[in-house]
Amino acid sequence: MKISILGWEYENIRRMGNLKIDLEDSDGKVYENTLIMMPNGTGKTTTLRLIGAALTGKADKWKEHDVRSFKPSYKKDSKGKFCLKVSFDGEIYYYVMNFDYELGEVRYETSRIGRSGGIESGHMLPHSLKDVFTTEFVDRFVFDGEQAQKTLNSGSGEAERAIVYLYQLDKMDKLCDEIDKLVEKKQESANSQVTERSVKLHKSRAENRRKHYESLLKKYENAKGELEIKKSKKKSLEERYQNIISQDEQMREEQGILNERKRKIKLQIGETTEKIISGLRKPYNLQVEMDMRLQGLWQNMQTLRLPRNVAKEFFQELIDNKLCICGRCIGDQERKVILKNAEEYLAQEEFAVLNEIKSALKEYEVDCDLKQHRQNLQLLIDEEQKVNNGLDHLASTMAKRGHQEILHIKNLIEELESDIRHLETECQKLSTKDYISNFGLTDDNNINKAYEAWQDEKKWYEKINGTYKFTQKAEKLERYVQKVKKKALQKLKKYIIQETNVKVQEIIRNDNVHIKDINGHLVFEDRDNLSEGQNLAVAYAYIGTLFEHSQNEFPFVVDSPAAPLDLNMRREIAKIMPGLFHQMIVFVTSGEKEGFAETYFEREKVKYYTIDGNKDEAVNLHEGKKYFAEFQGRTV
């Protein structure tokens, strides 16, 4: 479906008295590129918010003070109106937002050309878009500078969410939600037929287990996010530290030698620690008495010839025969005696277990090197301390030579290292599945154990109310749906990265900026950060690629796209952006003329509007390139 914005009208909205923006040419076709000049304070942000609200129909949920904030300050009016004209594959819709400033509410009306009935109360959308035009979805094409930054922010996950929403992969999550509702309905139905107190008890326990599991997940994500931030800070501080050290060649060489020694010592400490932990897991390495008793058990089993060769099952099979192996007849009395004496012999399973014990006793050896490993560990720790002292001495020397900042940086690095170790331990404890190597793990401090505890309690609940099999099938379907979503997302990421990199190379020609992955945010090759201008350039290229291959064609509405860019990049952005979107509406300030807006002067069929006015007065609307171009050089 092709979606175009054909224009909008304001009536008593902040500084807009009665203004109409028309984006259609004389032939009724929408302009592919529209530039709207609005100085700061004249309503750019207001207009973007109104366009988004007109498309989503969510303004009726705004709070009273939010609605009243649109009231004009220069005159008294109790009513206001905003009307957006939109084309959905040629079918025209008018979305009217009626503002009642006294009541503090917004009321929607919709008019559809070609439909009977005129204006309808409420917000109407084409059927195929009813579940699409969410606030999260519309925010991807009614775009501000913050949204561009979110695309690259490591903590936002915006780059991945944009794929999910624009390609409607979130519908798979909604499908899973519907499956969950069916399960819940089934469980409620079963509960209505069972009155036992145990049903409510197990349901409550399962719900508490679920909440606890989710709280541990949140705790892990918070710790993981904090860990990334601290690692990034530490890396930045280490670079500053290194820059100071590198000013003295001798110091730099000494530091390199010490860091290499420290690296090797850490490896040796890790290997030695692992040997000690492995030895400590075997009690006979710690107690001589334990070793002696195990050896005694082995000797006794040898002396008694345990396990015996004849198993209990032999005698149980024997009584089914008429004759004994000795040739005598087996009667009822003989069978009773054989069964009674069979109890003195081992069963096959017990026989196998004793054989394993016997083999283990025969093969185990005390680790005589454990004591030596502990001594080696202490020597390595002492050696590491000497290296750290050497590094401290380097910092002190540089401080005496006038670089006082280095001591402060070093202290900050040490504090971060301590925090990082703590967070890494916490994350590892929360997420590990290695229950043997990690002592003290319970469902209170480990995500996987908490999940197991939740599933166990959930299984009991489902069994007791008769929904277990139904739930198992539902969960299997959910896993399949999520697997499809995951594979689709992986393939989309791969393709989008490839296409975006082509566009980025066309825009940023003086630097090698290359996206290597999408992990919530965009991950770049050989760098952590970009300049502000590069950030915007990459964001536009990325969003353009997403729009280019979406099943629907959307307009792109953007606020001040070129403000942070240098002149060369402005020109490159201005050249490539029109090719990314079938319709582009750009709000600019006078500062974006040079390099960006002026590039459009060379294009045909570009619509120009200028909105200006004095403070605390209604703004004025001017149409045409001439006023727009002249206004660029004026002082407002």
Side-chain angles (χ1 to χ4, degrees):
M1 178 179 289
K2 189 172 185 178
I3 303 159
S4 303
I5 295 176
L6 306 182
W8 60 86
E9 295 181 49
Y10 313 86
E11 184 179 320
N12 296 329
I13 301 288
R14 288 184 178 162
R15 295 181 62 190
M16 284 79 168
N18 287 279
L19 299 182
K20 181 178 180 180
I21 303 292
D22 184 3
L23 305 182
E24 297 177 87
D25 63 18
S26 56
D27 297 326
K29 295 181 180 178
V30 68
Y31 281 91
E32 292 183 6
N33 299 289
T34 299
L35 296 182
I36 302 176
M37 173 73 65
M38 297 181 72
N40 292 327
T42 53
K44 291 196 308 298
T45 304
T46 297
T47 303
L48 262 73
R49 189 178 181 192
L50 289 171
I51 291 172
L55 292 170
T56 62
K58 301 299 183 184
D60 55 3
K61 301 294 190 298
W62 286 352
K63 295 180 180 179
E64 291 181 13
H65 70 270
D66 285 333
V67 175
R68 293 190 179 108
S69 69
F70 288 88
K71 183 178 180 180
S73 59
Y74 64 93
K75 65 175 182 174
K76 293 182 178 181
D77 271 296
S78 61
K79 307 289 184 182
K81 183 184 291 186
F82 179 79
C83 178
L84 184 73
K85 184 180 179 183
V86 186
S87 167
F88 299 106
D89 271 348
E91 188 173 3
I92 309 301
Y93 280 60
Y94 289 88
Y95 293 108
V96 182
M97 297 169 61
N98 295 291
F99 286 76
D100 189 322
Y101 298 128
E102 290 183 356
L103 295 177
E105 63 182 27
V106 175
R107 181 173 54 84
Y108 279 96
E109 292 177 327
T110 305
S111 174
R112 294 176 282 181
I113 293 180
R115 303 287 183 99
S116 60
I119 295 179
E120 301 175 71
S121 179
H123 186 270
M124 312 295 175
L125 279 170
H127 181 75
S128 62
L129 294 176
K130 283 185 178 179
D131 295 327
V132 177
F133 269 29
T134 62
T135 302
E136 293 82 3
F137 187 88
V138 171
D139 281 347
R140 270 75 191 179
F141 63 87
V142 180
F143 204 81
D144 59 20
E146 289 183 6
Q147 196 72 14
Q149 186 59 41
K150 285 180 185 177
T151 306
L152 299 113
N153 191 314
S154 60
S156 73
E158 167 60 22
E160 192 164 306
R161 282 201 297 269
I163 300 175
V164 170
Y165 284 112
L166 286 175
Y167 289 87
Q168 299 180 42
L169 298 183
D170 59 313
K171 284 189 175 181
M172 295 187 179
D173 295 323
K174 292 177 182 177
L175 175 58
C176 290
D177 290 340
E178 291 300 317
I179 295 171
D180 289 338
K181 289 177 183 177
L182 287 174
V183 171
E184 187 177 344
K185 188 176 180 180
K186 179 77 173 177
Q187 290 173 342
E188 288 175 357
S189 174
N191 286 344
S192 66
Q193 300 169 20
V194 181
T195 59
E196 285 88 347
R197 177 176 175 273
S198 58
V199 172
K200 292 183 179 180
L201 181 64
H202 281 288
K203 181 179 181 180
S204 177
R205 287 178 177 175
E207 183 65 16
N208 290 336
R209 290 289 186 184
R210 179 188 66 79
K211 289 178 180 177
H212 178 64
Y213 165 70
E214 290 174 350
S215 71
L216 288 182
L217 278 178
K218 187 174 181 180
K219 184 178 180 181
Y220 174 71
E221 289 301 323
N222 290 340
K224 191 177 176 183
E226 190 176 352
L227 180 61
E228 287 184 7
I229 291 170
K230 288 188 180 294
K231 282 184 174 180
S232 178
K233 287 181 179 178
K234 178 174 173 281
K235 183 178 180 181
S236 178
L237 287 170
E238 284 175 338
E239 289 175 356
R240 287 169 59 188
Y241 183 93
Q242 189 62 39
N243 288 337
I244 295 172
I245 290 290
S246 64
Q247 295 179 32
D248 187 298
E249 186 175 351
Q250 182 181 352
M251 292 290 182
R252 186 173 66 250
E253 290 177 0
E254 288 184 26
Q255 185 195 45
I257 294 169
L258 289 171
N259 281 336
E260 180 60 22
R261 281 176 62 192
K262 187 173 182 177
R263 185 187 67 81
K264 291 180 178 178
I265 290 169
K266 279 190 175 294
L267 287 175
Q268 291 175 310
I269 287 175
E271 293 169 358
T272 306
T273 302
E274 182 58 38
K275 291 176 182 177
I276 293 172
I277 292 173
S278 178
L280 293 176
R281 291 195 187 108
K282 302 168 184 175
Y284 51 77
N285 284 328
L286 303 178
Q287 290 185 324
V288 176
E289 183 183 354
M290 176 71 75
D291 176 46
M292 292 175 65
R293 292 179 69 180
L294 289 173
Q295 290 296 327
L297 177 60
W298 157 249
Q299 292 296 332
N300 288 336
M301 292 184 78
Q302 285 289 89
T303 302
L304 297 173
R305 297 181 180 178
L306 292 175
R308 296 181 180 180
N309 293 330
V310 180
K312 184 189 295 184
E313 284 81 4
F314 168 76
F315 298 104
Q316 291 172 338
E317 292 174 5
L318 181 61
I319 62 174
D320 294 330
N321 298 323
K322 293 181 179 180
L323 295 176
C324 178
I325 58 173
C326 64
R328 296 179 183 180
C329 290
I330 300 177
D332 292 339
Q333 186 62 33
E334 286 80 12
R335 286 189 177 90
K336 290 180 182 178
V337 174
I338 291 171
L339 282 174
K340 180 179 179 181
N341 292 334
E343 294 302 319
E344 299 180 10
Y345 292 84
L346 298 172
Q348 288 286 1
E349 292 180 358
E350 297 165 330
F351 184 83
V353 171
L354 277 176
N355 262 330
E356 289 182 11
I357 293 173
K358 189 174 179 180
S359 297
L361 290 171
K362 180 181 178 181
E363 295 172 2
Y364 93 87
E365 293 182 2
V366 174
D367 188 355
C368 299
D369 297 328
L370 188 58
K371 183 177 180 180
Q372 184 61 47
H373 292 328
R374 290 201 296 267
Q375 292 174 350
N376 290 344
L377 179 60
Q378 186 58 54
L379 291 172
L380 288 168
I381 291 172
D382 293 341
E383 182 66 20
E384 185 182 31
Q385 185 58 49
K386 290 178 182 178
V387 172
N388 287 333
N389 291 340
L391 291 169
D392 289 345
H393 179 70
L394 289 179
S396 298
T397 302
M398 291 302 291
K400 289 177 182 178
R401 294 180 181 179
H403 300 283
Q404 293 293 332
E405 182 190 12
I406 196 170
L407 294 177
H408 177 63
I409 293 172
K410 184 177 179 299
N411 289 334
L412 290 176
I413 291 172
E414 289 174 354
E415 289 175 8
L416 285 170
E417 285 176 341
S418 176
D419 293 342
I420 287 169
R421 284 194 298 271
H422 172 75
L423 288 167
E424 285 177 337
T425 301
E426 183 178 8
C427 288
Q428 199 270 341
K429 191 173 184 178
L430 281 167
S431 62
T432 186
K433 293 183 180 180
D434 183 2
Y435 304 147
I436 297 175
S437 301
N438 296 272
F439 301 106
L441 292 181
T442 66
D443 50 52
D444 287 328
N445 57 27
N446 179 263
I447 290 170
N448 300 296
K449 280 191 170 290
Y451 181 78
E452 291 169 5
W454 170 34
Q455 293 303 306
D456 287 342
E457 194 59 57
K458 183 165 167 279
K459 190 180 294 184
W460 275 108
Y461 166 62
E462 290 162 354
K463 280 183 177 180
I464 204 167
N465 77 350
T467 60
Y468 179 70
K469 288 185 178 180
F470 184 84
T471 304
Q472 292 295 100
K473 291 178 180 178
E475 289 180 350
K476 185 176 181 180
L477 178 58
E478 283 191 37
R479 287 194 296 271
Y480 178 77
V481 171
Q482 290 299 332
K483 188 175 181 181
V484 171
K485 177 187 174 183
K486 184 178 179 181
K487 285 193 174 182
L489 185 59
Q490 287 173 342
K491 289 184 177 181
L492 282 169
K493 282 183 182 180
K494 184 177 179 181
Y495 179 76
I496 288 166
I497 288 171
Q498 179 181 337
E499 290 295 304
T500 304
N501 279 330
V502 172
K503 293 181 176 66
V504 169
Q505 288 173 9
E506 292 178 12
I507 301 171
I508 306 175
R509 303 191 180 200
N510 60 349
D511 197 358
N512 185 26
V513 176
H514 186 82
I515 302 168
K516 70 174 181 180
D517 195 11
I518 302 172
N519 184 17
H521 63 289
L522 300 184
V523 181
F524 298 96
E525 195 84 51
D526 301 326
R527 63 175 68 203
D528 294 325
N529 300 302
L530 302 178
S531 69
E532 189 174 5
Q534 289 175 331
N535 269 349
L536 283 176
V538 172
Y540 294 143
Y542 180 72
I543 295 296
T545 302
L546 295 180
F547 275 65
E548 188 176 5
H549 300 285
S550 173
Q551 68 178 26
N552 295 310
E553 291 185 70
F554 301 96
F556 187 59
V557 185
V558 60
D559 178 19
S560 298
L565 305 177
D566 61 37
L567 292 179
N568 289 332
M569 200 169 293
R570 283 185 179 190
R571 295 186 183 98
E572 296 299 330
I573 283 283
K575 289 176 183 176
I576 199 171
M577 281 182 72
L580 300 178
F581 315 100
H582 84 277
Q583 181 189 14
M584 192 169 64
I585 303 168
V586 185
F587 292 85
V588 295
T589 62
S590 58
E592 293 172 275
K593 170 194 173 182
E594 193 174 7
F596 183 78
E598 65 184 10
T599 306
Y600 286 84
F601 294 165
E602 303 169 5
R603 290 179 172 271
E604 295 182 356
K605 295 186 177 181
V606 178
K607 188 74 170 182
Y608 297 92
Y609 280 108
T610 306
I611 298 176
D612 66 350
N614 297 321
K615 185 178 180 182
D616 298 327
E617 292 181 3
V619 295
N620 300 306
L621 177 66
H622 308 274
E623 184 178 351
K625 182 166 71 172
K626 185 176 184 301
Y627 191 94
F628 184 99
E630 291 175 354
F631 179 84
Q632 300 277 329
R634 291 169 52 195
T635 301
V636 178

